[in-house]
Amino acid sequence: MAWEEWNDLKAAAAGRQTAHMKLNGLPEDRGGARTPAGGDLRVDQQDLAAIGDSAYRLHTDLIRVGGHARATSVKAAGGLSSDGFALGGALGHVAERWVEQVRSLLDATAHISNHLDFTKGAHAGDEVHIAGTLSSIAQLETGFDERRAN
């Protein structure tokens, strides 16, 4: 392939290209979705609190309901087994798996709650750091302004 032909192909491809990269923004027509002014991702403390509250309620309900279901299943499995039904062993196996799954969900909901607490603390620390940095920059600018005035 000759160099000229390669340049012609690149130019033709560039002419057909309709999508361009746009940093710090999105195309205006995105199927009705709108970005907030400034395009920043925002999460309010109320949003985080609602997620944390839901995780806590789920955790509490799982402890209550999961424990009841386990106790009932184990009792039923024992009764069936003692009466000679093979179904008792199978129900006991299901009860064991139920306990494992409930433990996994309890761990996950606790992890969500702990992570939200950590995130809240980390962002509070970031805010303090940013405010301090911006304050020191403002002090530097004031010093430069004073030098220019003299």
Side-chain angles (χ1 to χ4, degrees):
M1 178 181 299
W3 190 254
E4 240 177 75
E5 185 181 0
W6 173 248
N7 284 332
D8 291 342
L9 289 172
K10 287 192 316 185
R16 288 190 308 264
Q17 186 177 11
T18 58
H20 300 285
M21 181 182 291
K22 182 177 179 183
L23 299 177
N24 197 22
L26 295 171
E28 292 301 316
D29 183 18
R30 295 185 307 129
R34 297 267 179 218
T35 58
D40 292 335
L41 174 63
R42 299 183 60 99
V43 178
D44 296 0
Q45 290 300 327
Q46 290 177 338
D47 297 333
L48 295 176
I51 293 168
D53 185 53
S54 294
Y56 175 77
R57 281 186 281 128
L58 179 58
H59 188 270
T60 304
D61 289 346
L62 278 171
I63 289 172
R64 181 178 48 82
V65 175
H68 176 72
R70 178 190 173 274
T72 304
S73 298
V74 168
K75 184 178 178 182
L80 288 169
S81 293
S82 67
D83 288 340
F85 289 100
L87 184 60
L91 186 56
H93 177 77
V94 169
E96 289 174 23
R97 296 298 171 257
W98 173 262
V99 169
E100 291 172 11
Q101 295 301 316
V102 168
R103 272 193 208 123
S104 294
L105 287 171
L106 287 171
D107 289 346
T109 55
H111 180 74
I112 290 168
S113 178
N114 292 340
H115 184 70
L116 287 172
D117 289 343
F118 172 80
T119 301
K120 183 177 160 184
H123 286 298
D126 290 345
E127 288 294 324
V128 169
H129 175 73
I130 290 168
T133 301
L134 291 177
S135 175
S136 64
I137 290 171
Q139 288 176 355
L140 283 173
E141 286 180 355
T142 302
F144 287 124
D145 291 342
E146 288 173 2
R147 285 186 185 172
R148 276 189 230 142
N150 291 335

